[in-house]
Amino acid sequence: MTKIHIHGGDVYRNPGILDFSANCNPYGMPKGVKEAVIQALEKAECYPDVSCDALRKALAEEEEVPEERIICGNGAADLIFGLVLARKPKKALLPAPTFAEYEQALSSVGCEIVYVPLSEEKGFVPQENFIDRITEDIDMVFFCNPNNPTGILADRSYVEKLLQRCKRSDAFLVLDECFIDFIENSEAYTMKAYLETYTNFFLLKAFTKKYAMAGIRLGYGFCSDNQTLENMQAVMQPWNVSVLAQEAGIAALKEKEYVKETLSKIKAEKEWLLEKLRKLELFCYPSKANYIFFKGPLHLKENCLKQGIAIRDCSNYPNLEKGFYRIAVRKREENERLTEALEYILNGEKRK
């Protein structure tokens, strides 16, 4: 089988592994969500609500976005593919590195892809040259904020310039905010407030990371262009969001205390983990998400696997080479196990 889907989180070919390669909430799915999934089994003999009405209503209240601007999908990737298929861009612009699914979706419709490399010397921070490259021949632009895998966060003024340039060039901006809830003061960075002003953009989010619901598959997006939403619904599969996923999403949005408590713990654990990694003389980039992007020895992934730990080798991302890695922030005892393994590996490297 061709290896198209290269991602973290492959626990199926690595049973029993301690997984730092996938960036989900380490405190697990909320109890209320698990209970909702079990209760939803009673309704699983019926087709799901094709419009996800109850879920979209709950999302509208939570996100303060009109219900008619919301579309749900079988994970964020489902919406990425649906959006690309609906609009069929001929030429698209991507920063490099960034999330791999954008490229795969664009390639599926024969779209030409232009990459703007993010400079390692400038810490992979997006520069004005990315905005300048949005010319009239560009149909679609993807931008992930904070970016995956680097965790670098662009401020609102930069993203607003992106929106303005896309509007002038008649390009459609896809803004991925799947990790934005992990940053402090996320309301100062999200672009939800710009939905009504700009019809040329789609804002992407998901339940996957924040609620540890990767296996349930539930994503959602906002767009003020009704035609784009209608075209997406026309090309996406009906009943793509299961009864179980819809009920899980509704239940997750009620988990206010879980979110507050676990995000606070993740923040503290990230600071602890960063300190340990720096003591090991590993260069860490200033990620604002729930993961750390760093440089290390060339065979660190393989050596970690020997210690029963999976980390994300980022060398398959465009504009990254061997030696770039990403690790999720997990619970203290797991983070301790990782740092002990890294210390053992790195000390071995020094002895060579």
Coordinates of all heavy atoms in Angstrom, one line a residue, residues 209-261:
K209 N -8.3 17.3 19.2 CA -7.2 17.6 20.1 C -7.6 18.0 21.5 O -7.2 17.4 22.5 CB -6.3 18.7 19.5 CG -6.0 18.6 18.0 CD -5.3 17.3 17.7 CE -5.0 17.2 16.2 NZ -4.3 16.0 15.8
K210 N -8.5 18.9 21.6 CA -9.0 19.5 22.8 C -9.7 18.5 23.7 O -9.5 18.5 25.0 CB -9.9 20.7 22.5 CG -10.4 21.5 23.7 CD -11.2 22.7 23.1 CE -11.9 23.5 24.2 NZ -12.7 24.6 23.6
Y211 N -10.5 17.6 23.1 CA -11.3 16.7 23.9 C -10.8 15.2 23.8 O -11.4 14.3 24.2 CB -12.7 16.7 23.4 CG -13.4 18.1 23.7 CD1 -13.5 19.0 22.6 CD2 -13.8 18.5 24.9 CE1 -14.1 20.2 22.8 CE2 -14.4 19.7 25.1 CZ -14.5 20.6 24.0 OH -15.1 21.8 24.2
A212 N -9.6 15.0 23.1 CA -9.0 13.7 23.0 C -10.0 12.7 22.3 O -10.3 11.7 22.7 CB -8.6 13.1 24.3
M213 N -10.6 13.2 21.1 CA -11.6 12.5 20.4 C -11.2 12.1 19.0 O -12.0 12.0 18.1 CB -12.9 13.3 20.4 CG -13.6 13.4 21.7 SD -14.9 14.7 21.7 CE -15.9 14.3 20.2
A214 N -9.9 11.8 18.8 CA -9.4 11.5 17.5 C -10.1 10.3 16.8 O -10.3 10.4 15.6 CB -7.9 11.2 17.6
G215 N -10.4 9.3 17.6 CA -11.0 8.1 17.0 C -12.5 8.3 16.7 O -13.1 7.5 15.9
I216 N -13.1 9.3 17.3 CA -14.5 9.5 17.0 C -14.7 10.2 15.7 O -15.7 10.0 15.0 CB -15.2 10.3 18.2 CG1 -15.3 9.4 19.4 CG2 -16.5 10.9 17.8 CD1 -15.9 10.0 20.6
R217 N -13.8 11.1 15.3 CA -13.8 11.8 14.0 C -14.9 12.9 14.0 O -16.0 12.6 13.6 CB -13.9 10.9 12.8 CG -12.9 9.8 12.7 CD -11.5 10.2 12.8 NE -11.1 11.2 11.8 CZ -10.3 12.3 12.1 NH1 -9.9 12.4 13.4 NH2 -10.0 13.1 11.2
L218 N -14.5 14.1 14.4 CA -15.5 15.2 14.4 C -14.8 16.5 14.2 O -14.0 16.9 15.1 CB -16.3 15.2 15.7 CG -17.5 16.2 15.8 CD1 -18.5 16.0 14.6 CD2 -18.2 16.1 17.1
G219 N -15.1 17.2 13.1 CA -14.5 18.5 12.8 C -15.7 19.4 12.4 O -16.8 19.0 12.2
Y220 N -15.4 20.7 12.4 CA -16.4 21.7 12.0 C -15.7 22.9 11.4 O -14.5 23.1 11.6 CB -17.3 22.1 13.1 CG -16.6 22.7 14.4 CD1 -16.6 24.0 14.6 CD2 -16.1 21.8 15.3 CE1 -16.1 24.6 15.7 CE2 -15.5 22.4 16.5 CZ -15.5 23.7 16.7 OH -14.9 24.3 17.8
G221 N -16.5 23.7 10.7 CA -15.9 24.9 10.1 C -16.9 26.0 10.0 O -18.1 25.7 10.1
F222 N -16.4 27.2 9.8 CA -17.3 28.4 9.7 C -17.0 29.1 8.3 O -15.8 29.2 7.9 CB -17.0 29.4 10.8 CG -16.9 28.9 12.2 CD1 -15.9 29.2 13.0 CD2 -17.9 28.0 12.6 CE1 -15.8 28.7 14.3 CE2 -17.9 27.5 13.9 CZ -16.8 27.9 14.8
C223 N -18.1 29.5 7.7 CA -17.9 30.3 6.5 C -19.2 31.1 6.2 O -20.3 30.6 6.5 CB -17.7 29.3 5.3 SG -17.3 30.2 3.7
S224 N -19.0 32.4 5.8 CA -20.1 33.2 5.6 C -20.6 33.2 4.1 O -21.6 33.9 3.8 CB -19.8 34.7 6.0 OG -18.7 35.2 5.3
D225 N -19.9 32.4 3.3 CA -20.3 32.3 1.9 C -21.3 31.1 1.8 O -20.8 30.0 1.8 CB -19.1 32.2 1.0 CG -19.5 32.0 -0.5 OD1 -20.5 32.7 -0.9 OD2 -18.8 31.3 -1.2
N226 N -22.5 31.4 1.7 CA -23.5 30.3 1.6 C -23.3 29.3 0.4 O -23.5 28.1 0.5 CB -24.9 30.9 1.5 CG -25.4 31.5 2.8 OD1 -24.9 31.2 3.9 ND2 -26.2 32.5 2.7
Q227 N -22.8 29.9 -0.7 CA -22.6 29.1 -1.9 C -21.5 28.1 -1.7 O -21.6 26.9 -2.1 CB -22.3 30.0 -3.1 CG -22.3 29.2 -4.4 CD -23.7 28.6 -4.7 OE1 -24.7 29.4 -4.8 NE2 -23.8 27.3 -4.9
T228 N -20.5 28.5 -1.0 CA -19.4 27.5 -0.6 C -19.9 26.4 0.2 O -19.6 25.2 0.0 CB -18.2 28.3 0.1 OG1 -17.6 29.2 -0.9 CG2 -17.2 27.3 0.6
L229 N -20.7 26.7 1.3 CA -21.2 25.7 2.2 C -22.2 24.8 1.4 O -22.1 23.5 1.6 CB -22.0 26.3 3.3 CG -21.1 27.1 4.3 CD1 -21.9 27.8 5.4 CD2 -20.0 26.3 4.9
E230 N -23.0 25.3 0.5 CA -23.9 24.5 -0.3 C -23.1 23.6 -1.2 O -23.5 22.4 -1.4 CB -24.9 25.3 -1.1 CG -25.9 26.0 -0.2 CD -26.8 27.0 -1.0 OE1 -26.7 27.0 -2.2 OE2 -27.5 27.8 -0.4
N231 N -22.1 24.1 -1.8 CA -21.3 23.3 -2.7 C -20.5 22.2 -2.0 O -20.4 21.1 -2.5 CB -20.3 24.2 -3.5 CG -20.9 25.1 -4.5 OD1 -22.1 24.9 -4.8 ND2 -20.2 26.1 -5.0
M232 N -20.1 22.5 -0.8 CA -19.4 21.4 0.0 C -20.4 20.3 0.4 O -20.1 19.1 0.2 CB -18.9 22.0 1.3 CG -17.7 22.9 1.2 SD -17.1 23.6 2.7 CE -16.5 22.1 3.6
Q233 N -21.6 20.7 0.8 CA -22.6 19.7 1.1 C -23.0 18.8 -0.1 O -23.3 17.6 0.0 CB -23.9 20.4 1.7 CG -23.6 20.9 3.1 CD -24.7 21.9 3.5 OE1 -25.5 22.4 2.7 NE2 -24.7 22.3 4.8
A234 N -22.9 19.4 -1.3 CA -23.2 18.7 -2.5 C -22.2 17.6 -2.9 O -22.6 16.6 -3.5 CB -23.4 19.7 -3.7
V235 N -20.9 17.9 -2.5 CA -19.9 16.9 -2.9 C -19.5 16.0 -1.8 O -18.8 15.0 -2.0 CB -18.6 17.7 -3.5 CG1 -19.0 18.5 -4.7 CG2 -18.0 18.5 -2.4
M236 N -19.8 16.3 -0.5 CA -19.4 15.5 0.6 C -20.5 14.4 0.8 O -21.6 14.5 0.4 CB -19.3 16.3 1.9 CG -18.1 17.2 1.8 SD -18.1 18.4 3.2 CE -17.6 17.3 4.6
Q237 N -20.0 13.3 1.3 CA -21.0 12.1 1.6 C -22.1 12.5 2.5 O -21.8 13.2 3.5 CB -20.2 10.9 2.2 CG -19.2 10.3 1.3 CD -18.5 9.1 1.9 OE1 -19.2 8.2 2.4 NE2 -17.2 9.0 1.8
P238 N -23.3 12.1 2.3 CA -24.4 12.3 3.3 C -24.1 11.4 4.5 O -23.4 10.4 4.4 CB -25.6 11.8 2.5 CG -25.1 10.8 1.5 CD -23.8 11.3 1.1
W239 N -24.6 11.8 5.6 CA -24.4 11.0 6.9 C -23.0 10.8 7.2 O -22.6 9.8 7.8 CB -25.1 9.6 6.8 CG -26.5 9.7 6.3 CD1 -27.6 10.4 6.9 CD2 -27.1 9.1 5.1 NE1 -28.7 10.3 6.2 CE2 -28.5 9.5 5.1 CE3 -26.6 8.3 4.1 CZ2 -29.3 9.1 4.0 CZ3 -27.4 7.9 3.1 CH2 -28.8 8.2 3.1
N240 N -22.1 11.8 6.9 CA -20.7 11.6 7.2 C -20.3 11.8 8.6 O -19.2 11.5 9.1 CB -19.9 12.6 6.3 CG -20.2 14.1 6.5 OD1 -21.4 14.4 6.9 ND2 -19.3 15.0 6.3
V241 N -21.3 12.4 9.4 CA -21.0 12.5 10.9 C -22.0 11.6 11.6 O -23.2 11.7 11.6 CB -21.3 14.0 11.3 CG1 -20.9 14.1 12.8 CG2 -20.4 14.9 10.5
S242 N -21.4 10.5 12.2 CA -22.2 9.5 12.8 C -23.1 10.0 14.0 O -22.8 11.0 14.5 CB -21.3 8.3 13.3 OG -20.6 8.7 14.4
V243 N -24.1 9.2 14.3 CA -24.9 9.4 15.5 C -24.0 9.6 16.7 O -24.2 10.5 17.6 CB -25.9 8.3 15.7 CG1 -26.6 8.4 17.1 CG2 -27.0 8.3 14.6
L244 N -23.0 8.7 16.9 CA -22.2 8.7 18.0 C -21.3 10.0 18.1 O -21.1 10.6 19.1 CB -21.2 7.5 18.0 CG -21.9 6.1 17.9 CD1 -20.8 5.0 18.0 CD2 -23.0 5.9 18.9
A245 N -20.8 10.4 16.9 CA -20.0 11.6 16.9 C -20.8 12.8 17.2 O -20.3 13.7 17.9 CB -19.3 11.7 15.5
Q246 N -22.0 12.9 16.7 CA -22.8 14.1 16.9 C -23.1 14.2 18.4 O -23.0 15.3 19.0 CB -24.1 14.0 16.1 CG -23.8 14.2 14.6 CD -25.1 14.3 13.8 OE1 -26.1 15.0 14.2 NE2 -25.1 13.7 12.6
E247 N -23.5 13.1 19.1 CA -23.8 13.1 20.5 C -22.5 13.4 21.3 O -22.6 14.1 22.3 CB -24.5 11.8 20.9 CG -25.8 11.6 20.3 CD -26.8 12.6 20.8 OE1 -26.7 13.2 21.9 OE2 -27.8 12.9 20.0
A248 N -21.4 12.9 20.9 CA -20.1 13.1 21.6 C -19.8 14.6 21.5 O -19.3 15.2 22.5 CB -19.0 12.3 20.9
G249 N -20.0 15.2 20.4 CA -19.7 16.6 20.2 C -20.6 17.5 21.1 O -20.1 18.4 21.8
I250 N -21.9 17.2 21.2 CA -22.8 18.0 22.0 C -22.4 17.8 23.5 O -22.3 18.8 24.2 CB -24.2 17.5 21.8 CG1 -24.7 17.8 20.4 CG2 -25.2 18.1 22.9 CD1 -26.0 17.1 20.0
A251 N -22.0 16.6 23.9 CA -21.6 16.4 25.3 C -20.3 17.1 25.6 O -20.1 17.7 26.7 CB -21.5 14.9 25.5
A252 N -19.3 17.1 24.6 CA -18.0 17.7 24.8 C -18.1 19.2 25.1 O -17.4 19.7 26.0 CB -17.1 17.4 23.6
L253 N -19.0 19.8 24.4 CA -19.2 21.3 24.6 C -19.7 21.7 26.0 O -19.6 22.8 26.4 CB -20.1 21.8 23.5 CG -19.6 21.7 22.1 CD1 -20.7 22.1 21.1 CD2 -18.4 22.6 21.9
K254 N -20.2 20.7 26.7 CA -20.7 21.0 28.1 C -19.5 20.8 29.1 O -19.7 21.1 30.3 CB -21.8 20.0 28.5 CG -23.0 20.2 27.6 CD -24.0 19.1 27.9 CE -25.3 19.1 27.0 NZ -26.2 18.0 27.2
E255 N -18.4 20.3 28.7 CA -17.3 20.0 29.6 C -16.4 21.2 29.9 O -15.2 21.2 29.6 CB -16.5 18.8 29.0 CG -17.2 17.5 28.8 CD -17.4 16.8 30.2 OE1 -16.6 17.2 31.1 OE2 -18.2 15.9 30.3
K256 N -17.0 22.2 30.5 CA -16.2 23.4 30.7 C -15.1 23.2 31.8 O -14.0 23.7 31.6 CB -17.2 24.5 31.2 CG -18.5 24.7 30.4 CD -18.2 25.2 29.0 CE -19.5 25.5 28.3 NZ -19.3 25.8 26.9
E257 N -15.4 22.5 32.8 CA -14.4 22.3 33.9 C -13.3 21.4 33.4 O -12.1 21.7 33.7 CB -15.1 21.6 35.1 CG -14.2 21.6 36.3 CD -13.7 23.0 36.8 OE1 -14.5 24.0 36.6 OE2 -12.6 23.1 37.2
Y258 N -13.6 20.4 32.6 CA -12.6 19.5 32.0 C -11.6 20.4 31.2 O -10.4 20.2 31.3 CB -13.2 18.5 31.1 CG -12.3 17.8 30.2 CD1 -11.6 16.6 30.5 CD2 -12.1 18.3 28.9 CE1 -10.8 16.0 29.6 CE2 -11.2 17.6 28.0 CZ -10.6 16.5 28.4 OH -9.7 15.8 27.5
V259 N -12.1 21.3 30.3 CA -11.3 22.1 29.5 C -10.4 23.0 30.3 O -9.2 23.1 30.1 CB -12.1 22.9 28.5 CG1 -11.3 23.9 27.8 CG2 -12.8 22.0 27.5
K260 N -11.0 23.7 31.3 CA -10.2 24.6 32.1 C -9.1 23.9 32.9 O -8.0 24.4 32.9 CB -11.2 25.3 33.1 CG -10.5 26.3 34.0 CD -11.5 26.9 35.0 CE -10.9 27.9 35.9 NZ -11.9 28.5 36.9
E261 N -9.5 22.8 33.5 CA -8.5 22.1 34.3 C -7.4 21.4 33.5 O -6.2 21.6 33.8 CB -9.2 21.0 35.1 CG -8.3 20.2 36.0 CD -9.1 19.1 36.8 OE1 -10.3 19.3 37.0 OE2 -8.5 18.1 37.1

